[in-house]
Amino acid sequence: MNLDVLATVLTGAGVLIGVWRMVDGMRREMNARLDSRFDALNARIDAVLLADRKP
């Protein structure tokens, strides 16, 4: 196998791994943001539903 071809294949693999890591990090960050927003929304809903209850 030609060394140029091997270098191109290895570079392509490195780029794909780098892009995959970047996308995975962004996905995790988005999931964390959504989870925190849903938690806040659930807390507000609980507060409204429980507001009329007497102790």
Side-chain angles (χ1 to χ4, degrees):
M1 183 182 277
N2 190 353
L3 291 179
D4 290 336
V5 174
L6 181 61
T8 302
V9 169
L10 291 176
T11 301
V15 168
L16 288 176
I17 290 171
V19 169
W20 177 77
R21 284 183 162 182
M22 183 178 65
V23 170
D24 188 52
M26 290 172 63
R27 183 189 57 84
R28 288 176 191 244
E29 183 179 327
M30 283 182 56
N31 281 344
R33 285 183 187 176
L34 286 174
D35 285 345
S36 68
R37 289 188 180 184
F38 282 130
D39 289 344
L41 179 62
N42 283 336
R44 289 176 63 190
I45 290 171
D46 288 344
V48 169
L49 292 175
L50 297 176
D52 63 344
R53 288 196 173 188
K54 295 180 183 178

